[in-house]
Amino acid sequence: MKFIANARMYAVTPDAEAAWRALLAHVAREAEVDLEYVPYPAPQPLEALWARPDLGCVFMCGYPIALGIARVTPIAAPIPAQPWAGGQAVYRSDLIVRADAPFRTLEETFGHRAGWTVEHSHSGFNAFRHHLLRYVTPARPQLYAEMIGHLVTARAILDAVVEGRIDVGPLDAYWHALIARHRPELTAHVRVVASTDLAPMPAFVAAAALPADTVARLRAAFCAAAGRPWFAQLRDMLLIDGFAPVTRDAFATTLEWDREAKAAGYTLPR
Protein backbone atom coordinates (compact mmCIF):
# COMPACT_ATOMS: atom_id res chain seq x y z
CA MET A 1 0.00 0.00 0.00
CA LYS A 2 1.21 3.51 -0.84
CA PHE A 3 0.99 5.80 2.20
CA ILE A 4 0.21 9.51 2.08
CA ALA A 5 1.33 12.67 3.85
CA ASN A 6 -0.65 15.86 4.37
CA ALA A 7 -0.45 19.03 6.49
CA ARG A 8 -3.91 20.48 5.82
CA MET A 9 -4.55 21.67 9.40
CA TYR A 10 -1.64 24.11 9.29
CA ALA A 11 -1.24 24.67 5.56
CA VAL A 12 -2.49 28.22 6.07
CA THR A 13 -1.21 29.50 2.70
CA PRO A 14 0.40 27.92 -0.37
CA ASP A 15 3.83 29.00 0.93
CA ALA A 16 3.18 27.41 4.30
CA GLU A 17 1.99 24.20 2.67
CA ALA A 18 5.12 24.14 0.51
CA ALA A 19 7.22 24.43 3.67
CA TRP A 20 5.33 21.57 5.33
CA ARG A 21 5.70 19.50 2.19
CA ALA A 22 9.46 20.11 2.19
CA LEU A 23 9.73 19.24 5.88
CA LEU A 24 7.78 16.02 5.44
CA ALA A 25 9.97 15.08 2.48
CA HIS A 26 13.10 15.53 4.62
CA VAL A 27 11.62 13.50 7.48
CA ALA A 28 10.47 10.71 5.15
CA ARG A 29 13.85 10.58 3.45
CA GLU A 30 15.68 10.29 6.78
CA ALA A 31 13.23 7.63 7.98
CA GLU A 32 13.54 5.78 4.65
CA VAL A 33 9.78 5.83 4.20
CA ASP A 34 8.12 6.37 0.84
CA LEU A 35 5.32 8.91 1.37
CA GLU A 36 3.24 10.64 -1.28
CA TYR A 37 2.13 14.16 -0.38
CA VAL A 38 -1.56 14.49 -1.27
CA PRO A 39 -3.16 17.96 -1.02
CA TYR A 40 -6.52 18.03 0.72
CA PRO A 41 -7.78 21.63 0.73
CA ALA A 42 -10.76 22.99 2.64
CA PRO A 43 -13.69 22.65 2.71
CA GLN A 44 -13.23 18.90 2.28
CA PRO A 45 -14.03 17.27 5.65
CA LEU A 46 -11.05 16.31 7.75
CA GLU A 47 -12.95 13.33 9.15
CA ALA A 48 -12.85 11.72 5.71
CA LEU A 49 -9.11 12.30 5.45
CA TRP A 50 -8.43 10.84 8.90
CA ALA A 51 -10.49 7.74 8.10
CA ARG A 52 -8.32 6.79 5.12
CA PRO A 53 -6.46 3.49 5.57
CA ASP A 54 -3.37 4.85 3.78
CA LEU A 55 -2.41 7.63 6.21
CA GLY A 56 1.32 7.72 6.58
CA CYS A 57 1.92 11.13 8.14
CA VAL A 58 -1.06 13.48 8.43
CA PHE A 59 -1.95 16.20 10.94
CA MET A 60 -4.82 15.35 13.29
CA CYS A 61 -6.30 17.26 16.22
CA GLY A 62 -5.73 15.65 19.62
CA TYR A 63 -9.40 15.68 20.64
CA PRO A 64 -10.55 13.35 17.81
CA ILE A 65 -7.45 11.24 18.43
CA ALA A 66 -8.56 10.82 22.05
CA LEU A 67 -12.17 10.28 21.02
CA GLY A 68 -11.03 7.50 18.70
CA ILE A 69 -12.97 8.71 15.68
CA ALA A 70 -10.33 7.05 13.47
CA ARG A 71 -7.89 4.20 14.07
CA VAL A 72 -4.61 6.10 14.02
CA THR A 73 -1.22 6.00 15.70
CA PRO A 74 0.19 9.36 16.85
CA ILE A 75 3.78 9.93 15.73
CA ALA A 76 5.05 13.37 16.74
CA ALA A 77 3.75 16.88 17.37
CA PRO A 78 5.35 20.24 16.57
CA ILE A 79 6.68 22.50 19.29
CA PRO A 80 5.42 26.02 18.48
CA ALA A 81 8.09 28.72 18.52
CA GLN A 82 5.89 30.90 20.71
CA PRO A 83 6.51 32.17 24.25
CA TRP A 84 3.27 30.64 25.52
CA ALA A 85 4.39 27.15 24.44
CA GLY A 86 7.40 27.14 26.77
CA GLY A 87 9.31 24.74 24.54
CA GLN A 88 6.59 22.10 24.78
CA ALA A 89 4.28 20.50 22.18
CA VAL A 90 1.26 22.42 23.42
CA TYR A 91 -1.15 25.04 22.15
CA ARG A 92 -4.19 27.06 23.17
CA SER A 93 -7.07 28.95 21.61
CA ASP A 94 -7.05 32.71 21.25
CA LEU A 95 -10.48 34.25 21.73
CA ILE A 96 -10.57 37.02 19.17
CA VAL A 97 -12.70 40.10 18.55
CA ARG A 98 -12.53 42.83 15.93
CA ALA A 99 -9.71 45.29 16.59
CA ASP A 100 -12.20 48.16 16.69
CA ALA A 101 -14.74 46.35 18.91
CA PRO A 102 -15.59 47.90 22.28
CA PHE A 103 -14.82 44.67 24.17
CA ARG A 104 -11.74 44.71 26.42
CA THR A 105 -12.42 41.43 28.23
CA LEU A 106 -14.14 38.19 27.30
CA GLU A 107 -16.83 38.89 29.88
CA GLU A 108 -17.80 42.03 27.98
CA THR A 109 -18.70 39.86 24.96
CA PHE A 110 -21.35 37.97 26.93
CA GLY A 111 -24.83 38.78 25.68
CA HIS A 112 -23.55 39.21 22.13
CA ARG A 113 -22.73 36.70 19.35
CA ALA A 114 -20.09 33.97 19.39
CA GLY A 115 -19.21 31.03 17.16
CA TRP A 116 -17.41 27.70 17.03
CA THR A 117 -16.03 25.45 14.30
CA VAL A 118 -16.99 21.78 14.58
CA GLU A 119 -17.74 19.48 17.52
CA HIS A 120 -14.67 17.28 17.07
CA SER A 121 -12.31 20.27 17.15
CA HIS A 122 -10.37 20.96 20.31
CA SER A 123 -9.25 24.51 19.52
CA GLY A 124 -12.51 25.55 17.88
CA PHE A 125 -14.95 23.84 20.23
CA ASN A 126 -13.72 21.78 23.20
CA ALA A 127 -11.23 24.36 24.52
CA PHE A 128 -13.72 27.20 24.01
CA ARG A 129 -16.47 25.27 25.84
CA HIS A 130 -14.06 24.44 28.69
CA HIS A 131 -13.06 28.09 29.02
CA LEU A 132 -16.66 29.34 29.03
CA LEU A 133 -17.77 26.75 31.59
CA ARG A 134 -16.11 28.70 34.41
CA TYR A 135 -18.54 31.58 33.79
CA VAL A 136 -21.72 29.51 33.66
CA THR A 137 -23.94 29.54 36.75
CA PRO A 138 -27.48 28.33 37.53
CA ALA A 139 -28.57 31.96 37.30
CA ARG A 140 -26.74 32.41 33.98
CA PRO A 141 -26.76 29.10 32.05
CA GLN A 142 -26.43 30.89 28.70
CA LEU A 143 -23.67 33.43 28.17
CA TYR A 144 -24.43 34.59 24.62
CA ALA A 145 -27.53 35.93 22.90
CA GLU A 146 -26.57 33.94 19.81
CA MET A 147 -24.11 31.10 19.22
CA ILE A 148 -23.32 30.18 15.62
CA GLY A 149 -21.93 26.67 15.27
CA HIS A 150 -20.52 24.57 12.48
CA LEU A 151 -18.31 27.28 10.99
CA VAL A 152 -15.89 24.37 10.36
CA THR A 153 -12.51 26.10 9.93
CA ALA A 154 -10.30 28.54 11.79
CA ARG A 155 -10.31 30.78 8.72
CA ALA A 156 -14.12 30.88 8.85
CA ILE A 157 -13.94 32.02 12.50
CA LEU A 158 -11.46 34.75 11.55
CA ASP A 159 -13.58 35.92 8.63
CA ALA A 160 -16.79 35.85 10.69
CA VAL A 161 -15.23 38.09 13.35
CA VAL A 162 -13.72 40.50 10.81
CA GLU A 163 -16.99 40.72 8.88
CA GLY A 164 -19.03 41.27 12.05
CA ARG A 165 -21.14 38.09 11.77
CA ILE A 166 -19.92 37.07 15.23
CA ASP A 167 -18.41 39.21 17.98
CA VAL A 168 -16.00 36.64 19.40
CA GLY A 169 -14.65 33.26 18.38
CA PRO A 170 -11.89 30.74 19.19
CA LEU A 171 -8.79 30.62 17.00
CA ASP A 172 -6.08 27.96 17.33
CA ALA A 173 -3.22 30.12 18.64
CA TYR A 174 -0.57 28.35 16.55
CA TRP A 175 -2.74 28.72 13.43
CA HIS A 176 -3.17 32.37 14.44
CA ALA A 177 0.60 32.86 14.63
CA LEU A 178 1.10 31.16 11.26
CA ILE A 179 -1.54 33.21 9.45
CA ALA A 180 -0.12 36.38 11.01
CA ARG A 181 3.30 35.35 9.69
CA HIS A 182 2.12 34.61 6.15
CA ARG A 183 -0.95 36.84 5.73
CA PRO A 184 -0.59 39.65 8.29
CA GLU A 185 -3.28 41.70 6.58
CA LEU A 186 -5.85 39.09 7.66
CA THR A 187 -5.05 39.37 11.36
CA ALA A 188 -4.55 43.14 11.40
CA HIS A 189 -8.26 43.62 12.06
CA VAL A 190 -8.56 41.36 15.12
CA ARG A 191 -7.18 41.22 18.65
CA VAL A 192 -7.15 38.70 21.48
CA VAL A 193 -9.27 39.32 24.58
CA ALA A 194 -8.47 36.00 26.30
CA SER A 195 -6.75 32.67 25.70
CA THR A 196 -7.69 29.21 26.89
CA ASP A 197 -5.57 26.89 29.00
CA LEU A 198 -2.79 24.98 27.25
CA ALA A 199 -3.51 21.55 25.79
CA PRO A 200 -1.54 18.95 23.80
CA MET A 201 -0.65 20.07 20.29
CA PRO A 202 -2.18 18.33 17.24
CA ALA A 203 0.10 15.60 15.94
CA PHE A 204 1.13 13.84 12.79
CA VAL A 205 -0.55 10.44 12.79
CA ALA A 206 -0.48 7.24 10.76
CA ALA A 207 -3.19 4.70 9.98
CA ALA A 208 -3.16 1.41 11.84
CA ALA A 209 -1.88 -0.28 8.67
CA LEU A 210 1.49 1.51 8.81
CA PRO A 211 3.97 -0.96 10.36
CA ALA A 212 5.19 -0.19 13.88
CA ASP A 213 8.84 -0.11 12.85
CA THR A 214 8.00 2.46 10.16
CA VAL A 215 6.19 4.60 12.72
CA ALA A 216 9.24 4.37 14.99
CA ARG A 217 11.58 5.54 12.21
CA LEU A 218 9.30 8.48 11.39
CA ARG A 219 9.08 9.43 15.07
CA ALA A 220 12.86 9.37 15.40
CA ALA A 221 13.28 11.46 12.25
CA PHE A 222 10.82 14.08 13.49
CA CYS A 223 12.55 14.29 16.86
CA ALA A 224 15.95 14.74 15.17
CA ALA A 225 14.71 17.36 12.71
CA ALA A 226 15.62 20.45 14.75
CA GLY A 227 19.29 19.48 14.57
CA ARG A 228 19.41 19.07 10.80
CA PRO A 229 20.91 21.76 8.52
CA TRP A 230 17.70 22.05 6.48
CA PHE A 231 15.54 22.85 9.50
CA ALA A 232 16.48 26.50 10.12
CA GLN A 233 14.78 27.92 7.05
CA LEU A 234 11.65 25.86 7.62
CA ARG A 235 11.59 26.87 11.28
CA ASP A 236 11.14 30.49 10.23
CA MET A 237 8.42 29.59 7.75
CA LEU A 238 6.53 27.30 10.12
CA LEU A 239 7.29 28.91 13.49
CA ILE A 240 8.33 25.67 15.17
CA ASP A 241 11.27 24.76 17.40
CA GLY A 242 11.15 21.05 16.63
CA PHE A 243 8.99 18.03 17.37
CA ALA A 244 8.14 15.89 20.39
CA PRO A 245 7.14 12.21 20.32
CA VAL A 246 3.53 11.58 21.31
CA THR A 247 1.19 8.70 22.08
CA ARG A 248 -2.61 8.57 22.35
CA ASP A 249 -2.34 8.98 26.14
CA ALA A 250 -0.87 12.46 25.63
CA PHE A 251 -4.32 13.73 24.64
CA ALA A 252 -6.18 12.62 27.78
CA THR A 253 -6.58 16.27 28.83
CA THR A 254 -9.00 16.86 25.98
CA LEU A 255 -11.28 14.06 27.22
CA GLU A 256 -11.15 15.41 30.78
CA TRP A 257 -12.40 18.77 29.53
CA ASP A 258 -15.11 17.02 27.53
CA ARG A 259 -16.29 15.01 30.54
CA GLU A 260 -16.27 18.06 32.80
CA ALA A 261 -18.48 20.07 30.43
CA LYS A 262 -20.92 17.21 29.83
CA ALA A 263 -21.16 16.47 33.56
CA ALA A 264 -22.22 20.08 34.06
CA GLY A 265 -24.85 19.76 31.34
CA TYR A 266 -22.88 22.16 29.15
CA THR A 267 -22.75 20.08 25.99
CA LEU A 268 -22.50 23.01 23.58
CA PRO A 269 -21.03 26.48 24.08
CA ARG A 270 -23.91 28.91 24.62
Side-chain angles (χ1 to χ4, degrees), residues 51-88:
R52 289 180 57 152
D54 59 350
L55 297 190
C57 200
V58 172
F59 261 130
M60 187 171 179
C61 177
Y63 185 39
I65 291 174
L67 288 171
I69 71 170
R71 292 185 64 236
V72 298
T73 301
I75 302 171
I79 299 169
Q82 299 295 310
W84 44 258
Q88 303 296 311

Side-chain angles (χ1 to χ4, degrees), residues 91-106:
Y91 76 146
R92 64 188 187 184
S93 295
D94 290 336
L95 307 182
I96 62 165
V97 300
R98 278 178 59 106
D100 60 359
F103 314 116
R104 296 296 157 185
T105 66
L106 179 66

Side-chain angles (χ1 to χ4, degrees), residues 155-174:
R155 176 62 189 271
I157 290 285
L158 177 60
D159 290 346
V161 169
V162 170
E163 294 165 11
R165 288 182 281 115
I166 61 175
D167 297 298
V168 62
L171 205 59
D172 175 326
Y174 173 59

Side-chain angles (χ1 to χ4, degrees), residues 129-170:
R129 179 179 57 174
H130 176 261
H131 192 86
L132 293 178
L133 182 59
R134 70 195 66 184
Y135 298 102
V136 174
T137 66
R140 186 174 61 178
Q142 181 167 321
L143 302 175
Y144 290 95
E146 184 178 6
M147 182 68 72
I148 301 174
H150 305 289
L151 293 175
V152 182
T153 66
R155 176 62 189 271
I157 290 285
L158 177 60
D159 290 346
V161 169
V162 170
E163 294 165 11
R165 288 182 281 115
I166 61 175
D167 297 298
V168 62

Side-chain angles (χ1 to χ4, degrees), residues 7-59:
R8 148 80 179 275
M9 282 186 65
Y10 294 117
V12 299
T13 65
D15 285 348
E17 182 159 32
W20 282 117
R21 190 167 183 164
L23 186 147
L24 289 168
H26 282 296
V27 167
R29 190 176 304 115
E30 176 152 329
E32 299 182 340
V33 179
D34 185 17
L35 295 177
E36 177 187 1
Y37 192 91
V38 175
Y40 191 81
Q44 297 179 83
L46 283 168
E47 309 95 284
L49 174 66
W50 297 334
R52 289 180 57 152
D54 59 350
L55 297 190
C57 200
V58 172
F59 261 130

